[in-house]
Amino acid sequence: MKKKLIAGNWKMNGATATNAALLQQLLAGVGQPACDIAVCVPAPYLAEVGALVKGSAIAVGAQDVSAHDAGAYTGEVSASMLRDLAVRYAIVGHSERRQYHGETDGVVASKAQKALAAGITPIVCVGETLQEREAGLTEEVVKRQLAAVIHTNGHCISEIVVAYEPVWAIGTGKTASPEQAQQVHAVLRAQLRAATEHSDRVQILYGGSMNAANAAQLLGQADIDGGLVGGASLKAPDFLAIIAAAA
Ligand code: 13P
């Protein structure tokens, strides 16, 4: 049976000392988890976090990856560099990157392609804004965002992770109801099913104010295969409770 995946997205938070303390608590509390676990950390900490969790149940992820292979792209980090550091996942197309860094569906699709080619699992984020939801455009938006990645990545599509993150639920404390989330996850599953016979392998995560109190209900939905957790992943007891809810 497919395992669930609980991935923490630390966003632009952390420092050497606090990272070590957080990971120590996670490693002490995680036991033999029934789910896959990852922490997606800021690029400067990938190597040290990798060393701290080596051999444990916790995998390391990046929060972005370049759409280019190498060369004159100041500030960018390539998929082969991530591979070099034994990074297992890379978030691509997070709404904060789409919004603040102008990433288009095409750029996100290329980033997913570079990750896949380097043997890194892209966690492809899709999600509608509040305005789009209120205009009845939710399905159209998430399908368009995922279609770009499917179109560019063809038969590799069963190797990705998808994260549905309604923009209005990120960092706001407003969670999509389990029913609202399931409805969109079912749409994404159907889209994947039409693209690959291995669609059931794809983990579709929910993200947006997931916490210790609401995780079990969200993770109990038929097509919710895990969580992409922001704020709650920075507090060990909360993240551990979400991991326990994924059993
Ligand atoms: P929060 O859990 O803080 O709402 O963030 C969700 C998110 O954006 C994860 O990528």
Side-chain angles (χ1 to χ4, degrees):
M1 209 184 86
K2 178 172 52 188
K3 280 190 185 174
K4 288 190 166 35
L5 167 63
I6 302 298
N9 175 8
W10 289 5
K11 307 194 180 186
M12 198 171 71
N13 295 291
T16 305
T18 54
N19 296 346
L22 173 56
L23 289 167
Q24 225 164 23
Q25 292 178 66
L26 292 179
L27 290 168
V30 83
Q32 299 232 311
C35 62
D36 297 329
I37 304 169
V39 288
C40 299
V41 308
Y45 299 124
L46 285 167
E48 90 188 19
V49 169
L52 287 168
V53 301
K54 197 169 178 191
S56 79
I58 302 178
V60 180
Q63 297 175 9
D64 186 28
V65 62
S66 179
H68 305 284
D69 287 325
Y73 299 102
T74 302
E76 299 251 301
V77 176
S78 72
S80 65
M81 292 171 187
L82 298 181
R83 185 74 223 154
D84 204 14
L85 295 175
V87 167
R88 167 95 173 75
Y89 298 96
I91 297 173
V92 299
H94 193 281
S95 62
E96 288 150 17
R97 296 215 54 91
R98 293 179 190 262
Q99 192 180 344
Y100 307 138
H101 301 271
E103 290 190 10
T104 61
D105 293 341
V107 167
V108 174
S110 299
K111 290 184 169 197
Q113 190 177 35
K114 294 300 178 194
L116 285 167
I120 291 164
T121 303
I123 301 176
V124 177
C125 299
V126 301
E128 81 288 0
T129 62
L130 185 58
Q131 210 179 11
E132 287 163 341
R133 173 162 283 265
E134 285 175 347
L137 296 173
T138 299
E139 288 190 16
E140 187 180 322
V141 168
V142 298
K143 280 165 87 173
R144 188 201 73 223
Q145 291 171 331
L146 183 58
V149 177
I150 291 173
H151 179 74
T152 304
N153 292 279
H155 67 275
C156 294
I157 206 65
S158 60
E159 306 302 319
I160 72 169
V161 170
V162 177
Y164 169 55
E165 299 208 310
V167 179
W168 49 270
I170 294 177
T172 57
K174 279 187 207 157
T175 320
S177 69
E179 296 73 26
Q180 275 175 325
Q182 167 56 28
Q183 201 175 9
V184 177
H185 280 234
V187 167
L188 296 169
R189 180 82 65 205
Q191 193 178 3
L192 289 165
R193 198 169 286 136
T196 168
E197 57 186 297
H198 304 299
S199 62
D200 285 344
R201 213 190 265 176
V202 179
Q203 292 160 316
I204 308 180
L205 316 183
Y206 168 79
S209 299
M210 186 182 266
N211 58 38
N214 62 28
Q217 259 208 318
L218 285 160
L219 295 169
Q221 302 300 307
D223 290 298
I224 301 187
D225 307 315
L228 185 56
V229 185
S233 74
L234 297 170
K235 297 175 216 134
D238 297 41
F239 196 52
L240 287 169
I242 295 171
I243 289 166

